[in-house]
Amino acid sequence: MNWIFLQVKNPITDVSSAGSYLPIAIQLIFAVLFIAAMMGLTHWLGPKRNTADKLENFASGIESHGDARQPMAIKYFLVAILFVLFDVEVIFFYPYAVNFRQLGWEGFFAVLMFVGFFLAGFFYIIKKGALNWED
Amino acid sequence: MLLAIDWLLLLEKLVLIVIIVSVSLVIAMYETYAERKIAAFMQDRRGPNRAGPFGLLQPLADGGKLFFKEEIIPNTSNKFLFILGPCLAMMTAMMTSAVIPWGGTVAVFGRSVSLQIADINIGILFVFGVVSMGVYGIMIGGWASNNKFSLLAALRGASQMISYELAMGLSLIALLMMTGSLRLSVIVDQQMTSGVWNVVYQPLGFLIFLVCAFAECNRTPFDLPEAENELNFGYHQEYSSMKLGFYLFAEYINMFISSVIMATLYFGGYDIPFVNEAALIAKGNNWIQWIGPLVLIIKVGFFIFLFMWVRWTIPRFRYDQLMNLGWKKLIPLALLNMVLTGALVLWLKK
């Protein structure tokens, strides 16, 4: 910690310093304490009259059948995997967007090529029917 | 070793944090009131009008009630995750306000105080990072309940949120090409000095961002995780007491924060329209800095009204329609917007 705070005059207001994240840490501690206090308070204030019927899973009044954690439609997992793939590609655009003016036309055409790759993958998953929700 | 820290500055930040978090909590509370009043207005009813004048104390009564409700943890659920879910949802909702510039620099007791908690240089990326943590709150809560409705709702919610995050990220890139910075304070400053809000340059980008914000906040017409006619109550169906309160609060805080983000990125943030603040401050009118946050709140109020207006106007999408809109329409549109923006900026500059 020492080197972070001694290098520059006021690290909290200096954007290039890691010290500028310090207020976020304070806010995190504040949020955690606030949530813990609230949870503790409601736990302490609320009535505790549990019965076996009350603690059962709610299924609109009918008896619940079996465990909920059964195999789910694969579509949801497919969407999750595709999100990871495409989000990584989107993240690559961010450094380009920030330095976009300095890179000029040359950088633009390079990124255009990357957009081409992005679209190739995109059309592939659409043609494969990965995003069709009705079989 | 710790002498190098400006303790007064830290104290100032702590006070600012307490004020901003409290304000966002109060606004979240009164959003529920506004929602009910606006719904009532649109359906030709009166809405809450018993607790206090015009029913203004209704949110306090609703909030207070949550403290005195019995906590129920279903016996088939995973107890630790069941409690962690709403806490995580609330925490992510409380963290996003840290990087938003709520105003310029104001003078308090002779100190010049910046109305931004942390002016970090990755500003908007921090917001995105924290917002995507919100998926865990929904997913953990829905899974830990061990209820079929909750689990299905959580799966729907999670895949909806991640799908729209893609288009949201892409629409933002076009804006970042214009600003060249991820710092929210710089983005607002640019709009203040030029006097032209970013929405003028990025109308399509704003529209995509707005639609994605609706989907990220699980608001109608994208409130599939809470489709009560199919899923009873959604992912928080087994919750009671303040744990349910946290989920609902987190949702309203997220709505507030996304309104603030839209106002900051596309509508000039705390910039007062048709007023040159820099010239007035140079003449010694420092009070103008206090007007900025109020102007921001007015802009945010408009967006919150828009959220509610849409909720009581447009019916819910089907799930396949929602996914088609997100993946097959918004993503290509956002990419097109990005490429067009890039080409136009480079062409007009050279």
Side-chain angles (χ1 to χ4, degrees):
Chain A
M1 289 289 269
N2 203 2
W3 58 274
I4 298 175
F5 292 119
L6 288 181
Q7 247 174 5
V8 278
K9 193 149 181 294
N10 206 339
I12 296 166
T13 47
D14 181 22
V15 190
S16 59
S17 153
S20 61
Y21 291 82
L22 197 63
I24 292 178
I26 299 172
Q27 181 153 357
L28 185 68
I29 294 166
F30 179 76
V32 168
L33 288 180
F34 174 83
I35 288 163
M38 280 301 197
M39 291 301 257
L41 199 63
T42 50
H43 184 73
W44 178 58
L45 283 174
K48 289 162 199 73
R49 288 187 291 269
N50 293 332
T51 63
D53 285 340
K54 246 190 218 174
L55 297 182
E56 254 177 37
N57 274 121
F58 179 72
S60 309
I62 55 167
E63 223 172 288
S64 64
H65 290 278
D67 203 63
R69 292 158 193 169
Q70 289 165 348
M72 272 287 165
I74 192 75
K75 295 284 176 196
Y76 293 108
F77 301 97
L78 207 54
V79 167
I81 289 290
L82 291 176
F83 162 73
V84 172
L85 273 177
F86 282 101
D87 206 36
V88 169
E89 293 188 54
V90 169
I91 283 299
F92 280 133
F93 285 123
Y94 276 82
Y96 168 68
V98 173
N99 300 311
F100 154 74
R101 278 168 211 269
Q102 290 92 309
L103 294 171
W105 282 109
E106 204 179 323
F108 182 73
F109 287 120
V111 162
L112 220 49
M113 204 166 71
F114 189 66
V115 171
F117 290 135
F118 186 100
L119 282 177
F122 192 67
F123 282 124
Y124 176 74
I125 60 158
I126 285 177
K127 286 285 166 219
K128 272 279 179 188
L131 298 172
N132 286 347
W133 282 80
E134 299 192 30
D135 299 311
Chain B
M1 173 187 114
L2 290 172
L3 282 176
I5 304 179
D6 189 347
W7 288 105
L8 220 53
L9 186 65
L10 276 189
L11 186 73
E12 171 196 309
K13 292 287 181 199
L14 186 65
V15 172
L16 194 65
I17 287 168
V18 172
I19 290 173
I20 285 173
V21 170
S22 316
V23 165
S24 60
L25 284 172
V26 169
I27 286 183
M29 278 173 82
Y30 276 89
E31 269 175 312
T32 64
Y33 172 79
E35 178 121 82
R36 294 172 68 180
K37 272 292 186 197
I38 289 168
F41 171 70
M42 289 190 178
Q43 296 164 352
D44 208 9
R45 295 184 284 115
R46 281 188 189 279
N49 64 349
R50 291 301 148 103
F54 307 106
L56 273 171
L57 298 177
Q58 189 66 43
L60 289 177
D62 288 343
K65 181 191 76 173
L66 288 171
F67 282 101
F68 299 102
K69 287 288 170 185
E70 184 171 358
E71 281 184 299
I72 301 223
I73 301 177
N75 47 17
T76 51
S77 67
N78 186 326
K79 198 176 173 196
F80 173 69
L81 291 179
F82 190 81
I83 296 171
L84 183 71
C87 294
L88 211 60
M90 188 66 180
M91 204 179 76
T92 51
M94 284 172 80
M95 285 306 293
T96 29
S97 52
V99 294
I100 291 163
W102 299 92
T105 323
V106 295
V108 183
F109 302 123
R111 281 177 65 86
S112 55
V113 178
S114 161
L115 291 179
Q116 185 178 16
I117 294 170
D119 189 10
I120 54 176
N121 53 8
I122 57 158
I124 190 70
L125 271 187
F126 173 83
V127 175
F128 267 64
V130 173
V131 164
S132 43
M133 288 278 292
V135 176
Y136 290 103
I138 291 179
M139 201 61 221
I140 288 174
W143 191 83
S145 302
N146 204 353
N147 181 315
K148 284 164 193 158
F149 290 117
S150 305
L151 186 59
L152 199 58
L155 275 173
R156 275 187 180 190
S159 54
Q160 167 186 334
M161 280 170 88
I162 58 178
S163 299
Y164 278 78
E165 223 169 83
L166 279 179
M168 200 179 208
L170 278 173
S171 69
L172 196 65
I173 286 168
L175 180 82
L176 295 176
M177 283 169 149
M178 313 281 308
T179 60
S181 175
L182 292 161
R183 269 175 79 186
L184 288 168
S185 57
V186 172
I187 293 175
V188 173
D189 269 347
Q190 284 172 349
Q191 296 177 76
M192 281 179 102
T193 41
S194 69
V196 185
W197 293 348
N198 282 332
V199 68
V200 178
Y201 301 118
Q202 283 293 323
L204 184 60
F206 168 67
L207 216 60
I208 296 169
F209 196 90
L210 181 75
V211 171
C212 293
F214 273 74
E216 291 283 311
C217 293
N218 296 331
R219 293 287 301 187
T220 335
F222 308 110
D223 62 341
L224 272 295
E226 287 156 47
E228 64 277 349
N229 48 1
E230 310 163 11
L231 294 168
N232 281 347
F233 196 44
Y235 55 87
H236 38 40
Q237 131 154 326
E238 292 286 358
Y239 284 92
S240 62
S241 167
M242 199 41 112
K243 291 200 275 302
L244 172 68
F246 274 178
Y247 270 128
L248 301 182
F249 253 119
E251 210 161 284
Y252 279 98
I253 296 177
N254 283 339
M255 194 160 87
F256 169 60
I257 293 293
S258 58
S259 301
V260 177
I261 295 285
M262 281 189 280
T264 302
L265 290 178
Y266 292 98
F267 286 85
Y270 53 88
D271 175 36
I272 308 165
F274 310 115
V275 175
N276 189 348
E277 288 95 338
L280 279 168
I281 291 162
K283 280 183 203 154
N285 295 312
N286 264 321
W287 51 268
I288 203 90
Q289 296 279 34
W290 290 102
I291 311 288
L294 294 179
V295 172
L296 178 62
I297 292 293
I298 291 169
K299 289 173 186 171
V300 167
F302 169 74
F303 280 113
I304 290 174
F305 175 70
L306 188 69
F307 270 100
M308 288 165 186
W309 188 7
V310 167
R311 171 161 178 188
W312 300 107
T313 309
I314 302 178
R316 182 181 296 138
F317 278 127
R318 238 176 28 226
Y319 202 72
D320 59 319
Q321 291 173 329
L322 168 96
M323 281 303 187
N324 271 345
L325 178 68
W327 281 89
K328 294 181 184 163
K329 299 204 174 69
L330 289 185
I331 290 178
L333 209 58
L335 265 178
L336 184 73
N337 184 40
M338 183 186 94
V339 172
L340 279 183
T341 306
L344 269 178
V345 169
L346 285 176
W347 184 53
L348 291 178
K349 203 177 68 171
K350 295 280 159 74

